[in-house]
Amino acid sequence: MTGKIPLAGVIGSPISHSKSPQLHRHWLKTYGLAGDYVPMDVAAQDLETVLRTLPKAGFVGVNITIPHKEAALEIADLVTDRATLIGAANTLIFRKDGNIHADNTDGYGFLENLKAGAPGWVPSAGPATVLGAGGAARAVVASLLDAGVPEILLTNRTRVRAEKLSEDFGNRVTVVDWVQAGNILEESTLVINTTSLGMIGKQAMRVPLDGLRRGTVVTDLVYTPLRTDLLAVAEEAGCVTVDGLGMLLHQAVPAFERWFGQRPDVDSAARAAALR
Ligand code: NAP
């Protein structure tokens, strides 16, 4: 025992919107653990210096968010296979030997949230449509392939980005033109929005949604608002809907356990804490 209080936090820019501090502090309090979790607004040119300095101040690790997820992967000394495949890190562990260990738990968080919110969903039952091909989409695609989804229909405004993703992840990922996005919903058993469309302050979801069928599972990574237009329309159509807040909660579980030595529960109290 060093007597030091373990510290963790989240680094991004901007960072004031992050819900992670409330969540981690809730868990620390719930389990009676010493520690704290702080938001840090860090500019790109300072990221490496900050990451190399934090362990000296008692930090055991940090979450990384926009726009530093790719840069953090480059800076890290050790990287998990899944973070390499995804091409981004959202969780760093500062090891006692001085090395920075990078992982990506977004895909894990996505899948756990989906399993909790749509327990009847069977990965092998049919194709999944993924709207978007950014960083979050890469984590989602990795987790869906791992889970055994037979085919992913991937569509993105910038087609070349979807094609790159498909090249990286293999022939179970089929690229569909963005203008055709509305036409592939009908044949999908799962539809996921990984774009920022529908988020407060961003453009509205413009993909035609009349192809959504009763029973299709629809989930949105956007969680501000919690009930996006996509989820509202899907609910009307009789789909099973899963909001994006649970992904944020579940992706935090492995990090909290590594940093503070306790596996936390994702329950209604954790959800309420994140929403405070
Ligand atoms: P990103 O790498 O910047 O990707 C953004 C995606 O949105 C790209 O596919 C982009 O398409 C698309 N997009 C943006 N504006 C668009 C528009 N006007 N029309 C059509 N497509 C548009 O961001 P990210 O890290 O993947 O995050 C994407 C979203 O997921 C964000 O809203 C983020 O908050 C959310 N997210 C949620 C969680 C969670 O825990 N729930 C975790 C991670 C991310 P182009 O390639 O054409 O630009």
Side-chain angles (χ1 to χ4, degrees):
M1 288 292 288
T2 59
K4 272 191 185 166
I5 293 174
L7 301 173
V10 55
I11 295 181
S13 191
I15 201 61
S16 56
H17 65 285
S18 175
K19 297 183 185 304
S20 295
Q22 299 104 279
L23 174 64
H24 285 268
R25 285 175 181 162
H26 159 78
W27 280 335
L28 285 166
K29 197 169 164 209
T30 300
Y31 300 108
L33 299 170
D36 204 355
Y37 185 102
V38 290
M40 289 169 273
D41 193 329
V42 175
Q45 66 270 23
D46 299 326
L47 183 64
E48 178 147 23
T49 310
V50 169
L51 290 178
R52 297 286 172 200
T53 307
L54 285 176
K56 297 172 193 162
F59 277 77
V60 290
V62 285
N63 284 129
I64 299 289
T65 188
I66 292 171
H68 300 317
K69 286 184 172 186
E70 288 82 13
L73 193 73
E74 294 301 314
I75 293 167
D77 307 298
L78 304 152
V79 177
T80 61
D81 288 347
R82 61 182 166 178
T84 303
L85 185 64
I86 293 165
N90 76 335
T91 302
L92 301 181
I93 292 142
F94 300 144
R95 290 166 39 134
K96 289 205 173 71
D97 61 9
N99 284 322
I100 297 176
H101 184 261
D103 196 3
N104 192 313
T105 64
D106 276 339
Y108 166 84
F110 165 74
L111 210 58
E112 288 302 303
N113 184 41
L114 192 59
K115 286 195 247 169
W121 173 66
V122 178
S124 61
T129 286
V130 175
L131 305 173
R138 294 181 72 89
V140 165
V141 167
S143 70
L144 290 176
L145 293 176
D146 255 8
V149 170
E151 186 183 15
I152 293 174
L153 305 169
L154 177 71
T155 181
N156 193 49
R157 176 182 61 175
T158 310
R159 189 182 165 104
V160 65
R161 211 170 173 193
E163 280 167 354
K164 173 76 175 78
L165 195 154
S166 163
E167 263 170 43
D168 292 348
F169 285 84
N171 59 11
R172 275 195 284 158
V173 182
T174 305
V175 177
V176 177
D177 224 62
W178 184 240
V179 291
Q180 299 297 332
N183 301 336
I184 51 177
L185 304 181
E186 203 170 351
E187 55 188 292
S188 302
T189 53
L190 171 67
V191 174
I192 306 130
N193 175 40
T194 77
T195 73
S196 49
L197 292 175
M199 191 173 166
I200 291 170
K202 303 279 181 182
Q203 283 187 12
M205 170 59 68
R206 293 218 175 113
V207 173
L209 300 172
D210 33 321
L212 288 174
R213 283 183 294 116
R214 176 169 295 280
T216 300
V217 177
V218 179
T219 183
D220 202 328
L221 265 55
V222 170
Y223 54 82
T224 50
L226 260 186
R227 191 168 184 264
T228 59
D229 285 347
L230 168 64
L231 295 183
V233 172
E235 220 170 272
E236 282 283 299
C239 300
V240 177
T241 60
V242 183
D243 72 48
L245 183 67
M247 174 174 169
L248 177 86
L249 306 180
H250 283 284
Q251 63 78 33
V253 168
F256 188 91
E257 184 177 19
R258 287 292 295 271
W259 298 329
F260 300 113
Q262 164 83 45
R263 194 163 184 86
D265 283 331
V266 172
D267 52 15
S268 54
R271 204 174 151 86
L275 286 173
R276 264 204 294 274

